[in-house]
Amino acid sequence: LDRKWEQIFKIRDEILKALEAARNNGNIGHSLDAQVWLYPELYQKDPSLRALLKPDDNLRWDDVLIVSRVTFNNGAQPPDDLWQDALSLEEGAWAPIGPADSSGVRNVAIRYASPILGGPIVVSKANGQKCERCWKYGEDVKEPSKVCSRCSKVLRSGVSS
């Protein structure tokens, strides 16, 4: 168990570097503003780290990373608009990707070339509304409650989480 959590924190440290780059670029303010895309099929440096990167109800990566959403792309490669650029980055470097956001000022995301994982980590602002209870952004935040479905279940149960 100790070894597993050491590896989880090693991955988390890499993703925190990508989150910091997105913060420095102005894409996000707080980590809960973020959505993170991970590409486990591309991460060939350490198979034991790669094995941990999968959607798992017992290990909620969004909670471990304190972000609104983590998306695992297990396809052969990221979308074309970032694939070439992600490969051309030096390990440890980051760069903005995608078209300008609605303000026309910033690119919609950043990509970070992880030297530990051996592939890209992409961070952008999360879609949806902000839940007034957990502060995560999601498409499932509805009026009039202004809470996400997960928080709604907790509130209905009378138990705090």
Side-chain angles (χ1 to χ4, degrees):
L1 189 60
D2 284 342
R3 175 75 176 133
K4 179 180 179 180
W5 279 99
E6 277 179 33
Q7 291 178 307
I8 290 168
F9 284 122
K10 190 174 185 179
I11 293 167
R12 183 176 182 267
D13 287 345
E14 276 302 278
I15 296 169
L16 290 176
K17 292 173 187 174
L19 289 167
E20 186 62 27
R23 188 176 294 110
N24 290 340
N25 194 51
N27 295 83
I28 62 170
H30 186 277
S31 64
L32 285 172
D33 296 342
Q35 177 170 351
V36 175
W37 280 273
L38 300 173
Y39 301 89
E41 295 300 318
L42 298 177
Y43 304 152
Q44 302 298 323
K45 285 212 171 176
D46 186 338
S48 65
L49 294 179
R50 188 174 122 191
L52 289 171
L53 290 169
K54 59 186 174 207
D56 185 344
D57 288 339
N58 296 323
L59 180 63
R60 292 185 49 100
W61 278 100
D62 56 337
D63 290 336
V64 170
L65 299 171
I66 313 173
V67 298
S68 285
R69 180 177 297 139
V70 175
T71 302
F72 293 91
N73 183 332
N74 286 313
Q77 63 186 33
D80 290 338
D81 63 338
L82 69 94
W83 174 247
Q84 294 303 326
D85 290 335
L87 289 180
S88 67
L89 281 178
E90 289 184 33
E91 288 185 342
W94 67 271
I97 59 170
D101 64 10
S102 59
S103 71
V105 178
R106 293 176 190 87
N107 294 74
V108 295
I110 65 99
R111 66 194 179 288
Y112 170 73
S114 169
I116 302 298
L117 298 173
I121 298 168
V122 177
V123 177
S124 72
K125 183 151 177 56
N127 293 325
Q129 299 294 320
K130 185 177 183 178
C131 173
E132 290 190 1
R133 181 175 179 272
C134 68
W135 291 15
K136 289 184 178 183
Y137 286 81
E139 304 290 335
D140 62 343
V141 177
K142 304 290 184 203
E143 298 288 338
S145 68
K146 296 185 181 176
V147 295
C148 65
S149 58
R150 182 176 169 197
C151 288
S152 181
K153 288 177 193 172
V154 171
L155 292 169
R156 284 194 308 270
S157 73
V159 178
S160 64
S161 66

